[in-house]
Amino acid sequence: MTDLLDQRLAGSAETWREGAVPPRVPDSLRVDRSLPASERLARWKQRHHERAEHARTVFADSRSPERGLPVARSRKAFVFVGELLRTRRRALAAMIGFNVLAAAAALVVPRMIGDLVDEATAGASLAQTDTVLLVILAVVLANALFTFAAKRAGAVLGYDLLAAAREHVVETVLRLPLGKVEAASSGDLITRITSDVNKMSITVRWSLPYLVTSVTMVVLTVVALLLNSWLLTLPLLLSALMLTLAVRAYLKSAISGYITESATYSTINATMTETVEGARTVEALGLAELRQRRLDDDIEESAQAERYTMSLRNLLFIWLDFAFQVPLVLVVLLGTWGFDAGLVTVGQVTTAAIYLQQLVGPLDRLIQVLDHLQVGVAATTRLLGVAEVPDDRTPGEARPAASDLVGRDLRFAYRADHDVLHGVDVALRPGERLAIVGPSGSGKSTLGRLLAGINRPRTGVVSVGDVDVMDLPLPVLRTEVCLVTQEHHVFVGSLRDNVVLAREGDATDADVTAALDAVDASDWVAKLPEGLDTLLGHGRTELTPAQAQQVALARLVVADPHTLVLDEATSLIDPRTARHLEGSMAALLGDRTVVAIAHRLHTAHDADRIAVVIDGRIAELGSHDDLLAADGEYAHLWRTWRS
Ligand code: ADP
């Protein structure tokens, strides 16, 4: 993959050097090259604007079937940062204060040099010059100290802001509705919490402090210029005009340009992740070339998006150079004329020239900061967009008094107008064991997810003790009904932390040991070097898939819900162990209600009742013996499995 990418990049670099059209531009991006450059740029601008708007509106409608996470409005990013700054007024004041002192010190020196020039012209004595030089030295030292303090204050504030912003992102991501996370492309979410957090962090850590420094320096320099001579300040007006026009034109297109650019990174990530995750399918169906082409297109699109923002920057820089250099020339010309007319002294011209020279640095940095702020704002709107995913539940006050789980008229669609469940009714008797069997894709897992309150049914309701499961706060819901799937995550942390996860606070070591015992894990746990304190996870003690599954089950035992939905929860363990495990689980669970979604029919055999799901409907419901006697779908499945 990397080699191909390198070859391709090398290839396109070659083509670019020759000034030819890049090899393969996706049709959707082809811009007629016979058009004049300005027209091409205008079309690009239009397209980027449309895309950014599109990215913003997708998911504004919560039922939008389109995959992707929303993007917040730019204003929200400013409100967010403003809110963070409001709670850190002292740090902000310290940073601004030191910057003002540093800038003031920096501005004293040119004024003194100007005075020195005037005095020298008037024939002042050497002793006076020495004193002035000593004062200049002291001011330069003070400037260095203030600059250090300002930078330090900026860094402290920047890192503090970054920490707060990161915490916000983590909180937001953790409270995302599970159904929505799964529906959104994983590439998008990953890009947002890696690349976008990075960009935001650069903005917060670097751009904000520099913004304060540069603005202070620019404002104070203009004031100093005016105090020095209003006549010699006039050339700055021309600069200001050029800068305003250039920066306004830039800003108009930049935000949408950067949002589109980030969206293309998400697309590349999504294509890559999907290809890698589905490598076997890709291989089995011979899709390699197709996926490769798709990735090529994504990269090309991303390159186009980057080229667009780069063009915007390049255009901006041309104007910046003009705006910085022209006033210096004008000051010299105007100064010569003013001196002749007796309006200014040579010292004033010297001071003005030094001030203008001093202004180039902060102005240049200010523009750079504005550029970074665009990237930062775009990244922040994408991060804040994650928080705009509408919550799929509104917890109410009612708490279930009983433990009977009932589903009525359950319908559910992953894509609009494509129901995968067609009005399922199911009522669990407390303490019973219900097995759900049926062909693959018939909707068993979906039914399990609805019963466990992970997804909200499109119609109908799942209630526990007559309270809608979607009206229960998640921590309460988890003590009522839990879902166990084949995917088990072992978190980095001790074995104990991993087990008490769902009931942190009041679970004792004895509870943990009892839970591990109940899931038949005590043998291997006894062999762990540090028992419950053994650190698990990547790079530490790694568990086998079967052990991870046992830890997940032990987690449930500790969480202690009255109803469990097991979605092929024991499939990674070999059949004999599975049977044993289920046996000990059964002994422990006692009067708990269990819904077991199973491929292995022995689970069904042991169950009190069996629901056969076919094409999103419960086709048969009854005990093993009843269903065999009825000689329907189940009897057929059973006979096939037996033989
Ligand atoms: P089973 O558990 O019986 O194999 P599922 O409940 O997993 O069936 O799936 C039922 C139907 O819903 C299938 O057609 C499947 O392709 C579809 N489906 C399942 N999960 C998703 C998803 N995340 N997005 C879109 N369609 C899905």
Side-chain angles (χ1 to χ4, degrees):
M1 175 87 80
T2 326
D3 283 346
L4 277 172
L5 207 65
D6 284 343
Q7 271 174 24
R8 200 175 142 61
L9 288 176
S12 31
E14 221 36 75
T15 331
W16 278 105
R17 261 199 293 282
E18 288 157 14
V21 185
R24 274 181 21 73
V25 181
D27 286 340
S28 62
L29 289 172
R30 216 178 279 281
V31 173
D32 188 353
R33 295 209 156 239
S34 61
L35 293 171
S38 59
E39 177 69 11
R40 261 188 284 160
L41 196 65
R43 290 199 178 187
W44 261 103
K45 246 181 221 175
Q46 175 66 20
R47 184 172 298 156
H48 277 258
H49 188 71
E50 281 165 10
R51 288 210 186 165
E53 269 311 301
H54 176 72
R56 282 199 187 106
T57 47
V58 169
F59 258 74
D61 170 9
S62 64
R63 286 157 311 168
S64 161
E66 209 158 337
R67 288 169 161 223
L69 294 162
V71 175
R73 295 254 151 216
S74 311
R75 209 175 59 83
K76 285 225 167 144
F78 294 110
V79 173
F80 174 67
V81 175
E83 205 56 53
L84 289 181
L85 285 176
R86 226 190 313 282
T87 49
R88 290 165 179 77
R89 285 212 184 103
R90 276 180 63 175
L92 185 65
M95 182 175 74
I96 295 176
F98 283 125
N99 270 302
V100 169
L101 288 174
L107 293 171
V108 170
V109 178
R111 188 64 187 255
M112 294 182 79
I113 294 179
D115 290 347
L116 201 63
V117 170
D118 280 344
E119 278 161 25
T121 331
S125 76
L126 215 56
Q128 269 174 325
T129 318
D130 280 352
T131 329
V132 174
L133 283 178
L134 276 179
V135 176
I136 289 181
L137 188 67
V139 174
V140 168
L141 277 177
N143 173 255
L145 280 178
F146 289 139
T147 308
F148 171 76
K151 278 200 186 286
R152 191 179 174 282
V156 170
L157 179 67
Y159 275 99
D160 189 24
L161 285 178
L162 177 60
R166 281 217 163 116
E167 276 166 19
H168 175 83
V169 172
V170 171
E171 259 169 40
T172 314
V173 171
L174 288 185
R175 62 136 276 280
L176 273 183
L178 199 57
K180 271 289 198 290
V181 177
E182 289 182 353
S185 134
S186 56
D188 194 12
L189 193 58
I190 292 172
T191 309
R192 291 191 192 208
I193 56 181
T194 51
S195 153
D196 287 329
V197 165
N198 244 344
K199 285 181 192 155
M200 183 197 69
S201 101
I202 294 174
T203 308
V204 167
R205 241 177 33 220
W206 184 87
S207 308
L208 282 183
Y210 264 123
L211 182 69
V212 174
T213 314
S214 316
V215 168
T216 318
M217 192 65 197
V218 170
V219 171
L220 292 187
T221 310
V222 173
V223 173
L225 264 169
L226 277 170
L227 289 178
N228 176 57
S229 151
W230 65 266
L231 180 70
L232 297 177
T233 315
L234 291 180
L236 256 196
L237 289 179
L238 185 67
S239 255
L241 184 72
M242 283 163 87
L243 281 179
T244 314
L245 290 180
V247 172
R248 265 187 53 175
Y250 171 74
L251 290 187
K252 227 174 103 193
S253 318
I255 293 196
S256 43
Y258 286 121
I259 289 183
T260 314
E261 199 180 282
S262 293
T264 63
Y265 298 150
S266 288
T267 317
I268 293 182
N269 258 345
T271 308
M272 290 255 226
T273 328
E274 279 166 13
T275 310
V276 172
E277 279 177 1
R280 287 189 181 185
T281 317
V282 169
E283 199 176 13
L285 299 180
L287 298 174
E289 203 180 319
L290 202 72
R291 300 298 302 178
Q292 179 71 43
R293 216 175 316 138
R294 174 130 181 220
L295 187 62
D296 284 349
D297 284 357
D298 291 346
I299 293 173
E300 185 56 47
E301 182 162 350
S302 187
Q304 296 271 7
E306 285 191 4
R307 217 168 288 149
Y308 171 72
T309 53
M310 197 161 68
S311 310
L312 291 178
R313 285 194 296 274
N314 286 344
L315 282 177
L316 176 70
F317 291 146
I318 297 175
W319 286 106
L320 293 192
D321 269 349
F322 267 115
F324 292 151
Q325 302 308 327
V326 169
L328 203 60
V329 179
L330 288 183
V331 158
V332 175
L333 293 177
L334 205 61
T336 320
W337 174 82
F339 181 71
D340 275 346
L343 294 172
V344 292
T345 64
V346 180
Q348 278 173 314
V349 179
T350 313
T351 307
I354 300 179
Y355 278 156
L356 279 178
Q357 203 58 35
Q358 271 190 356
L359 203 53
V360 172
L363 265 183
D364 197 26
R365 219 172 296 139
L366 189 63
I367 308 285
Q368 274 182 41
V369 165
L370 284 180
D371 188 32
H372 273 272
L373 279 181
Q374 301 310 302
V375 183
V377 169
T380 313
T381 56
R382 281 165 54 81
L383 283 173
L384 295 179
V386 177
E388 285 182 7
V389 173
D391 218 342
D392 63 348
R393 64 194 77 220
T394 37
E397 292 300 317
R399 295 288 174 268
S403 61
D404 51 320
L405 190 71
V406 178
R408 290 261 171 269
D409 186 34
L410 302 178
R411 285 166 214 275
F412 185 83
Y414 290 99
R415 286 181 298 140
D417 303 328
H418 286 84
D419 277 0
V420 297
L421 291 181
H422 309 278
V424 172
D425 289 309
V426 54
L428 289 157
R429 303 174 190 142
E432 84 164 328
R433 223 128 295 191
L434 175 76
I436 299 183
V437 299
S440 182
S442 57
K444 303 184 295 292
S445 300
T446 309
L447 179 58
R449 296 170 64 83
L450 296 191
L451 289 177
I454 307 262
N455 293 87
R456 180 186 282 282
R458 187 176 68 74
T459 70
V461 75
V462 175
S463 61
V464 56
D466 277 340
V467 181
D468 186 343
V469 289
M470 300 308 280
D471 290 344
L472 290 174
L474 277 179
V476 175
L477 175 62
R478 292 295 158 250
T479 61
E480 304 284 338
V481 45
C482 275
L483 174 79
V484 200
T485 68
Q486 292 177 12
E487 292 163 33
H488 302 300
H489 191 73
V490 175
F491 295 88
V492 173
S494 70
L495 174 60
R496 179 190 296 101
D497 290 346
N498 264 287
V499 175
V500 300
L501 218 56
R503 223 184 74 194
E504 268 178 330
D506 62 341
T508 62
D509 276 9
D511 294 337
V512 176
T513 315
L516 288 167
D517 224 15
V519 296
D520 280 341
S522 27
D523 283 352
W524 62 263
V525 170
K527 290 193 196 112
L528 287 178
E530 286 156 71
L532 295 183
D533 289 319
T534 308
L535 285 180
L536 307 179
H538 193 67
R540 297 171 175 87
T541 306
E542 301 240 14
L543 299 184
T544 64
Q547 289 171 336
Q549 201 155 27
Q550 285 172 319
V551 170
L553 291 178
R555 221 174 260 158
L556 275 180
V557 175
V558 171
D560 198 23
H562 57 68
T563 302
L564 283 177
V565 180
L566 309 177
D567 189 353
E568 295 172 353
T570 50
S571 64
L572 292 177
I573 306 176
D574 67 84
R576 216 163 50 88
T577 325
R579 219 181 159 119
H580 185 54
L581 177 63
E582 274 164 22
S584 50
M585 283 282 288
L588 176 107
L589 294 173
D591 54 359
R592 264 164 248 271
T593 318
V594 178
V595 179
I597 298 162
H599 275 314
R600 291 204 186 89
L601 282 189
H602 68 82
T603 320
H605 176 261
D606 295 343
D608 299 320
R609 284 194 300 167
I610 297 157
V612 184
V613 175
I614 291 174
D615 288 339
R617 291 188 176 82
I618 295 190
E620 289 172 22
L621 181 66
S623 72
H624 175 78
D625 294 337
D626 291 348
L627 292 184
L628 278 192
D631 199 23
E633 290 287 345
Y634 179 77
H636 175 68
L637 281 172
W638 179 256
R639 280 196 297 271
T640 317
W641 183 71
R642 286 288 287 222
S643 60

